[in-house]
Amino acid sequence: MMNIEKLLSCYNPATGEIPGAPVLKRHLSDLKGCFAVVEAYDQVLTQSNPLLYSVSAVEPAGGEGDLHYGVGMIMPGKIGDEYFMTKGHLHSWRPAAEFYFGLTGDGVMLLEDEATGESRMVELRPNGAVYVPGRTAHRTMNVGRTPLTYFGVYPAKAGHDYAAIAKNNFRCVIIERHGKPELVERKTLTPAARHP
Ligand code: PAN
Ligand code: ZN
């Protein structure tokens, strides 16, 4: 049996912090190529490099049937009409699915089937659980005005593949239109449509 420190960890749902767990912080400069409107990204970056999100990870064991989890916190904010978001990834072990549980704030997840490109926007809210199937790229956005925190549980051997997203990005973009998040195809974002 594992020792008690590995069997229990306590997370702070307001900050996403877990005492003793490593924290990964991503700033705007780490998300080069993620936002659709490059001019808006570059303009903000010349003035500041805000923290977009942090993830604390708990990895009790790395065996075949083991699980890991991460608690994420995404800050509120936008680059142009796009919300602050995560880099997004596929799992290196493609069949690996994941559960996300909303803790605080208002979020959405962008899910994209790797084989078909089919995309969905799913709300990530307190008391809501989002199932991310295997072979599905996933990216999370804060669409509210307060920090978004969430809990993600995934197989220990899932791994993160960022390279595929860095190469082709997601097919769709989630932007704010009339005060609400909307899913649109990236290719429809002509310069005119980008700045309504
Ligand atoms: C999450 C993510 C977390 C940060 O724990 O890693 O939301 O997103 P990026 O990894 O895309 O920067 C998860 O999905 N793990 O598999
Ligand atoms: Zn994942």
Side-chain angles (χ1 to χ4, degrees), residues 7-21:
L7 293 173
L8 174 68
S9 56
C10 294
Y11 59 90
N12 181 332
T15 64
E17 287 164 343
I18 306 169

Side-chain angles (χ1 to χ4, degrees), residues 159-182:
H160 293 79
D161 177 0
Y162 295 104
I165 301 299
K167 190 161 168 259
N168 299 321
N169 213 331
F170 283 71
R171 196 169 64 80
C172 290
V173 176
I174 294 174
I175 56 170
E176 186 176 273
R177 276 202 181 148
H178 311 298
K180 283 196 199 145
E182 198 174 296

Side-chain angles (χ1 to χ4, degrees), residues 53 55 86-89 91 98 100 138 150 154 160 162:
Y53 64 99
V55 188
T86 60
K87 285 180 96 161
H89 61 270
H91 292 144
E98 179 165 4
Y100 272 68
H138 43 291
Y150 57 93
Y154 46 95
H160 293 79
Y162 295 104

Side-chain angles (χ1 to χ4, degrees), residues 60-77:
E64 182 78 359
D66 284 309
L67 298 172
H68 288 172
Y69 77 81
V71 181
M73 179 183 64
I74 308 180
M75 303 308 288

Side-chain angles (χ1 to χ4, degrees), residues 16-52:
E17 287 164 343
I18 306 169
V23 186
L24 177 75
K25 290 182 190 286
R26 300 260 199 223
H27 293 81
L28 187 61
S29 58
D30 298 313
L31 272 81
K32 196 164 173 53
C34 293
F35 291 92
V37 182
V38 178
E39 299 87 335
Y41 175 84
D42 288 343
Q43 198 195 345
V44 175
L45 201 54
T46 56
Q47 285 158 19
S48 63
N49 186 19
L51 174 72
L52 297 198

